[in-house]
Short mmCIF file of all heavy atoms in Angstrom, two decimals:
data_model
loop_
_atom_site.label_atom_id
_atom_site.label_comp_id
_atom_site.label_asym_id
_atom_site.label_seq_id
_atom_site.Cartn_x
_atom_site.Cartn_y
_atom_site.Cartn_z
N GLY B 293 -1.88 20.89 14.93
CA GLY B 293 -2.22 20.19 13.70
C GLY B 293 -1.06 19.52 13.01
O GLY B 293 -1.25 18.86 11.99
N MET B 294 0.18 19.69 13.52
CA MET B 294 1.31 19.14 12.79
C MET B 294 2.44 18.60 13.65
O MET B 294 3.40 18.04 13.13
CB MET B 294 1.88 20.18 11.80
CG MET B 294 2.12 21.59 12.29
SD MET B 294 3.40 21.80 13.56
CE MET B 294 4.89 21.61 12.58
N GLU B 295 2.34 18.72 14.96
CA GLU B 295 3.52 18.37 15.78
C GLU B 295 3.82 16.87 15.82
O GLU B 295 4.89 16.47 16.25
CB GLU B 295 3.43 18.96 17.19
CG GLU B 295 2.27 18.46 18.01
CD GLU B 295 2.08 19.33 19.25
OE1 GLU B 295 2.93 20.17 19.54
OE2 GLU B 295 1.06 19.15 19.92
N GLU B 296 2.88 16.04 15.33
CA GLU B 296 3.16 14.61 15.29
C GLU B 296 3.89 14.20 14.01
O GLU B 296 4.11 13.02 13.76
CB GLU B 296 1.85 13.83 15.38
CG GLU B 296 1.12 14.04 16.68
CD GLU B 296 1.16 12.82 17.58
OE1 GLU B 296 1.07 11.71 17.04
OE2 GLU B 296 1.30 12.99 18.79
N SER B 297 4.24 15.17 13.18
CA SER B 297 5.00 14.86 11.97
C SER B 297 6.28 14.15 12.36
O SER B 297 6.89 14.48 13.37
CB SER B 297 5.34 16.15 11.22
OG SER B 297 4.17 16.88 10.95
N ALA B 298 6.70 13.18 11.53
CA ALA B 298 7.90 12.41 11.88
C ALA B 298 9.13 13.30 11.90
O ALA B 298 10.00 13.16 12.74
CB ALA B 298 8.08 11.26 10.89
N MET B 299 9.20 14.23 10.96
CA MET B 299 10.32 15.15 10.96
C MET B 299 9.84 16.55 10.60
O MET B 299 8.99 16.71 9.72
CB MET B 299 11.41 14.71 9.98
CG MET B 299 12.63 15.61 10.04
SD MET B 299 13.85 15.22 8.79
CE MET B 299 14.62 13.80 9.51
N ILE B 300 10.36 17.54 11.32
CA ILE B 300 9.95 18.92 11.07
C ILE B 300 11.18 19.77 10.76
O ILE B 300 12.18 19.72 11.48
CB ILE B 300 9.20 19.51 12.30
CG1 ILE B 300 7.92 18.70 12.57
CG2 ILE B 300 8.88 21.00 12.09
CD1 ILE B 300 7.31 18.95 13.94
N ILE B 301 11.09 20.50 9.67
CA ILE B 301 12.15 21.47 9.35
C ILE B 301 11.48 22.83 9.35
O ILE B 301 10.44 23.01 8.72
CB ILE B 301 12.75 21.19 7.95
CG1 ILE B 301 13.42 19.81 7.92
CG2 ILE B 301 13.75 22.28 7.55
CD1 ILE B 301 13.95 19.42 6.56
N SER B 302 12.06 23.78 10.07
CA SER B 302 11.48 25.12 10.00
C SER B 302 12.46 26.05 9.31
O SER B 302 13.68 25.90 9.42
CB SER B 302 11.12 25.63 11.40
OG SER B 302 12.22 26.31 11.96
N ILE B 303 11.89 26.97 8.55
CA ILE B 303 12.70 28.02 7.94
C ILE B 303 12.12 29.33 8.43
O ILE B 303 10.95 29.64 8.17
CB ILE B 303 12.61 27.97 6.39
CG1 ILE B 303 12.93 26.55 5.87
CG2 ILE B 303 13.53 29.01 5.76
CD1 ILE B 303 12.63 26.37 4.39
N ASN B 304 12.92 30.07 9.19
CA ASN B 304 12.39 31.28 9.81
C ASN B 304 13.52 32.27 10.07
O ASN B 304 14.61 31.87 10.46
CB ASN B 304 11.69 30.91 11.12
CG ASN B 304 10.56 31.87 11.44
OD1 ASN B 304 10.80 33.07 11.58
ND2 ASN B 304 9.36 31.34 11.52
N LYS B 305 13.22 33.54 9.84
CA LYS B 305 14.23 34.57 10.09
C LYS B 305 14.48 34.74 11.58
O LYS B 305 15.57 35.11 12.00
CB LYS B 305 13.76 35.91 9.50
CG LYS B 305 14.09 36.06 8.02
CD LYS B 305 13.88 37.48 7.55
CE LYS B 305 12.41 37.74 7.28
NZ LYS B 305 12.15 38.91 6.43
N ASP B 306 13.43 34.45 12.35
CA ASP B 306 13.51 34.69 13.79
C ASP B 306 14.02 33.45 14.53
O ASP B 306 13.34 32.43 14.59
CB ASP B 306 12.10 35.06 14.29
CG ASP B 306 12.06 35.26 15.80
OD1 ASP B 306 13.16 35.25 16.42
OD2 ASP B 306 10.96 35.39 16.34
N PRO B 307 15.24 33.52 15.10
CA PRO B 307 15.78 32.34 15.79
C PRO B 307 14.95 31.96 17.00
O PRO B 307 15.03 30.83 17.48
CB PRO B 307 17.19 32.77 16.19
CG PRO B 307 17.28 34.23 15.99
CD PRO B 307 16.16 34.66 15.11
N ASN B 308 14.13 32.89 17.51
CA ASN B 308 13.35 32.59 18.71
C ASN B 308 11.91 32.18 18.41
O ASN B 308 11.08 32.08 19.31
CB ASN B 308 13.33 33.80 19.64
CG ASN B 308 14.74 34.16 20.09
OD1 ASN B 308 15.52 33.26 20.44
ND2 ASN B 308 15.09 35.43 20.05
N ALA B 309 11.59 31.93 17.14
CA ALA B 309 10.22 31.52 16.80
C ALA B 309 9.91 30.21 17.52
O ALA B 309 10.74 29.30 17.55
CB ALA B 309 10.10 31.33 15.29
N PRO B 310 8.72 30.12 18.14
CA PRO B 310 8.38 28.91 18.91
C PRO B 310 8.45 27.63 18.09
O PRO B 310 8.72 26.55 18.63
CB PRO B 310 6.93 29.17 19.36
CG PRO B 310 6.66 30.61 19.14
CD PRO B 310 7.65 31.13 18.16
N ILE B 311 8.23 27.70 16.79
CA ILE B 311 8.26 26.51 15.94
C ILE B 311 9.62 25.80 16.04
O ILE B 311 9.72 24.59 15.96
CB ILE B 311 7.95 26.88 14.46
CG1 ILE B 311 7.76 25.61 13.59
CG2 ILE B 311 9.05 27.71 13.83
CD1 ILE B 311 6.36 25.13 13.49
N ASN B 312 10.68 26.61 16.28
CA ASN B 312 12.02 26.02 16.35
C ASN B 312 12.17 25.04 17.51
O ASN B 312 13.03 24.16 17.48
CB ASN B 312 13.08 27.13 16.45
CG ASN B 312 13.15 27.95 15.17
OD1 ASN B 312 12.64 27.52 14.14
ND2 ASN B 312 13.75 29.12 15.24
N ASN B 313 11.34 25.20 18.53
CA ASN B 313 11.43 24.29 19.68
C ASN B 313 10.98 22.87 19.34
O ASN B 313 11.39 21.92 19.99
CB ASN B 313 10.56 24.81 20.83
CG ASN B 313 11.06 26.15 21.32
OD1 ASN B 313 12.24 26.46 21.19
ND2 ASN B 313 10.15 26.96 21.85
N ILE B 314 10.07 22.74 18.37
CA ILE B 314 9.63 21.39 18.03
C ILE B 314 10.25 20.91 16.72
O ILE B 314 10.03 19.79 16.29
CB ILE B 314 8.09 21.27 17.95
CG1 ILE B 314 7.52 22.24 16.92
CG2 ILE B 314 7.46 21.48 19.31
CD1 ILE B 314 6.10 21.88 16.50
N ALA B 315 11.03 21.78 16.07
CA ALA B 315 11.63 21.40 14.78
C ALA B 315 12.84 20.51 15.01
O ALA B 315 13.55 20.65 16.00
CB ALA B 315 12.04 22.64 14.01
N ASP B 316 13.05 19.56 14.11
CA ASP B 316 14.26 18.75 14.15
C ASP B 316 15.42 19.55 13.59
O ASP B 316 16.55 19.45 14.03
CB ASP B 316 14.06 17.47 13.35
CG ASP B 316 12.91 16.64 13.90
OD1 ASP B 316 13.19 15.84 14.80
OD2 ASP B 316 11.76 16.84 13.48
N TYR B 317 15.11 20.36 12.56
CA TYR B 317 16.10 21.25 11.99
C TYR B 317 15.48 22.64 11.89
O TYR B 317 14.39 22.78 11.35
CB TYR B 317 16.50 20.80 10.58
CG TYR B 317 17.19 19.46 10.56
CD1 TYR B 317 16.48 18.29 10.35
CD2 TYR B 317 18.58 19.38 10.74
CE1 TYR B 317 17.11 17.06 10.34
CE2 TYR B 317 19.23 18.15 10.73
CZ TYR B 317 18.49 17.00 10.53
OH TYR B 317 19.12 15.79 10.53
N ALA B 318 16.17 23.62 12.42
CA ALA B 318 15.69 24.99 12.30
C ALA B 318 16.68 25.76 11.44
O ALA B 318 17.84 25.93 11.81
CB ALA B 318 15.57 25.62 13.69
N ILE B 319 16.23 26.15 10.26
CA ILE B 319 17.10 26.93 9.39
C ILE B 319 16.78 28.40 9.64
O ILE B 319 15.65 28.84 9.46
CB ILE B 319 16.86 26.58 7.90
CG1 ILE B 319 17.07 25.08 7.66
CG2 ILE B 319 17.79 27.40 7.01
CD1 ILE B 319 16.68 24.62 6.26
#
Side-chain angles (χ1 to χ4, degrees):
Chain B
M294 47 66 75
E295 63 193 350
E296 297 251 322
S297 305
M299 184 186 281
I300 298 165
I301 297 176
S302 90
I303 307 170
N304 209 301
K305 275 192 280 199
D306 177 7
N308 299 316
I311 189 91
N312 293 344
N313 297 333
I314 59 163
D316 300 273
Y317 295 93
I319 303 173

